[in-house]
Amino acid sequence: QVQLVESGGGLVQAGGSLRLSCAASGRTFRRYAMGWFRQAPGKEREFVAAITWSGGMTYYADSVKGRFTISRDNAKNTVYLQIDSLKPEDTAVYYCAAGSRLYSSNVDDYDYWGQGTQVTVSS
């Protein structure tokens, strides 16, 4: 069982930075691949980034490569998403997710989800 709680969202000017955190509970945290997704109003939930449970491999959507960095600290049961050079197009609710697969960019392959944290980028 895994429970996820996101934090770190807020209102930021274009070009600014945020670090999102996802606190996970449960002894099985290290056995899950972790992903970040985002969803803007009226849009489908889209893949942002993923990291294997060992932290050895990371994956990014083309739209965020070079600006977003996913990492995890298993000792702290926490996954991070460092977001730099924010654009208004990044405005969305960001969700942390956990899945049993090695890696997936498909929302259906994740078993646990947080409630989301709002990121709003002003121009």
Side-chain angles (χ1 to χ4, degrees):
Q1 304 284 9
V2 176
Q3 293 179 313
L4 308 172
V5 180
E6 303 96 335
S7 63
L11 175 62
V12 183
Q13 292 184 349
S17 298
L18 282 173
R19 188 183 74 163
L20 307 184
S21 297
C22 174
S25 63
R27 294 177 60 191
T28 60
F29 173 74
R30 293 188 63 183
R31 300 181 66 86
Y32 287 85
M34 303 297 297
W36 285 97
F37 292 76
R38 66 186 182 185
Q39 187 168 22
K43 301 293 183 63
E44 297 289 326
R45 189 169 299 186
E46 66 174 347
F47 170 75
V48 174
I51 186 168
T52 57
W53 72 265
S54 67
M57 292 179 285
T58 57
Y59 309 88
Y60 299 93
D62 289 340
S63 60
V64 305
K65 286 181 179 178
R67 299 189 299 119
F68 288 27
T69 304
I70 187 172
S71 62
R72 68 190 296 167
D73 186 339
N74 289 338
K76 297 181 179 180
N77 292 336
T78 302
V79 179
Y80 304 97
L81 185 69
Q82 177 68 39
I83 309 175
D84 298 318
S85 301
L86 277 160
K87 304 176 181 179
E89 307 93 272
D90 296 321
T91 296
V93 176
Y94 283 71
Y95 296 92
C96 176
S100 59
R101 297 171 69 96
L102 177 64
Y103 155 77
S104 180
S105 60
N106 189 334
V107 296
D108 293 333
D109 289 330
Y110 288 84
D111 303 310
Y112 303 96
W113 295 84
Q115 292 297 311
T117 184
Q118 177 72 47
V119 172
T120 302
V121 184
S122 63
S123 59

